C-alpha cells in the first residue's frame, strides 16, 4: 500500500515528467520516483485521449494523412519534444560505436547528428502514416489504438526502470528512477495496457494486445543493447524507449497478415 502523500507526489512527478502540465513542484526522491514510473502508463493513457479526439476530428475535416501528422505534432508539443530529443541523442550515441563515457559524452552534446535526425524523421513518418490508417475504423477502435500506443510508450519506461537495471550516470533522471519499479507492478501494468488495446482492431481482438506485448519485447532487446553500451539508463534512453515502443505498437495495429 502506497502512502497517500507518496502517491500524490508520484502522480505529480509522473505528469510533470511526461507532459507539459504546469503542476507545482513537489517532493522528488527515489520512493516518489518509483511511484511516478509505475504510474507512467496511466499518464500515457490520459495523454492518448485528447490525441485520439484530435485525430478523429481532423480526419473528419480533411485528409487522413494530415490528421495523422497533426496528431503526431500535438503529441510532441504536449511532451515538449523531450522523447524525440532522447531518441536522437540515444541513436547518435549508438551510431558512434563508442561505449561507456565516450557514448555518454556524445549524448550530452546539444547538436543532433545524422543518425539522430534520421531516427526522428523515420519515427515521425511511421507514426503519422500509421495514424492516418486508423480513422477508417469505428471511433472506439481509434480511441483504443491511440490510448494503447501512448500508454505502451510509457510502459516501456516502467520496464526500463525495473529493478536490476542501473543508471549510466550518478546524476540526472536516470539515477533518480533506475531500479525503482518491481516486477509484479510491471506485470499488472502490462496486462492493463494490453487490455486497452483489445478494441483497437475490429474483428481481431487479439491483434492489439499482441502489438503491445511484441513492442515491449522488442524494446527490451533494444534496452539490453543500450545498457550494455552505455552501462545503464539515462533520461535520453527513457525518451527513446517511449518513441520506439509507441511506433512499434502503431505498426502492429495497422499491419495485417
Amino acid at each position: 500500500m502506497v502512502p497517500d502523500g507518496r502517491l500524490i507526489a508520484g502522480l505529480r512527478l509522473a505528469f510533470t515528467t511526461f507532459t507539459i502540465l504546469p503542476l507545482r513542484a513537489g517532493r522528488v526522491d527515489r520512493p516518489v520516483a518509483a511511484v511516478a514510473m509505475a504510474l507512467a502508463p496511466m499518464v500515457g493513457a490520459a495523454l492518448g485521449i485528447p490525441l485520439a479526439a484530435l485525430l478523429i476530428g481532423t480526419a473528419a475535416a480533411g485528409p487522413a494523412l494530415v490528421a495523422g501528422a497533426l496528431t503526431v505534432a500535438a503529441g510532441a508539443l504536449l511532451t515538449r519534444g523531450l522523447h524525440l530529443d532522447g531518441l536522437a541523442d540515444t541513436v547518435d550515441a549508438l551510431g558512434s560505436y563508442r561505449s561507456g563515457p565516450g557514448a555518454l559524452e556524445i549524448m550530452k552534446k546539444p547538436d543532433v547528428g545524422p543518425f539522430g535526425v534520421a531516427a526522428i524523421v523515420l519515427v515521425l513518418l511511421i507514426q503519422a502514416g500509421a495514424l492516418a490508417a486508423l480513422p477508417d475504423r469505428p471511433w472506439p477502435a481509434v480511441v483504443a489504438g491511440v490510448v494503447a500506443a501512448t500508454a505502451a510508450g510509457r510502459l516501456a519506461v516502467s520496464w526500463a526502470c525495473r529493478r536490476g537495471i542501473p543508471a549510466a550516470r550518478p546524476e540526472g533522471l536516470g539515477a533518480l528512477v533506475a531500479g525503482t519499479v518491481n516486477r509484479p507492478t510491471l506485470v499488472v501494468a502490462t496486462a492493463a495496457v494490453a487490455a486497452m488495446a483489445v478494441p483497437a482492431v475490429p474483428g481481431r481482438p487479439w491483434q492489439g494486445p499482441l502489438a503491445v506485448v511484441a513492442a515491449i519485447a522488442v524494446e527490451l532487446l533494444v534496452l539490453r543493447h543500450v545498457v550494455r553500451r552505455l552501462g545503464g539508463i539515462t533520461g535520453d534512453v527513457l525518451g527513446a524507449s517511449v518513441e520506439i515502443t509507441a511506433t512499434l505498437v502503431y505498426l502492429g495495429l495497422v499491419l495485417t497478415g
Side-chain angles (χ1 to χ4, degrees), residues 48 50-76 124-136 142 146 250:
L51 293 179
L54 175 64
L55 177 63
I56 294 169
T58 52
L65 185 57
V66 173
L70 288 174
T71 303
V72 170
L124 293 179
L125 283 174
I126 293 170
Q127 289 184 7
L131 283 164
L134 294 182
D136 287 338
V142 179
V146 177
Y250 280 129

Side-chain angles (χ1 to χ4, degrees), residues 197-245:
V198 169
V201 185
R204 308 178 80 176
W206 51 268
Q207 185 169 339
L210 179 61
V212 170
V213 173
I216 292 295
V218 171
E219 175 52 31
L220 289 178
L221 292 176
V222 174
L223 180 67
R224 181 180 179 183
H225 175 68
V226 172
V227 170
R228 185 168 62 247
R229 288 281 302 276
L230 302 182
I233 63 170
T234 68
D236 284 332
V237 171
L238 299 182
S241 297
V242 171
E243 295 296 342
I244 292 171
T245 305

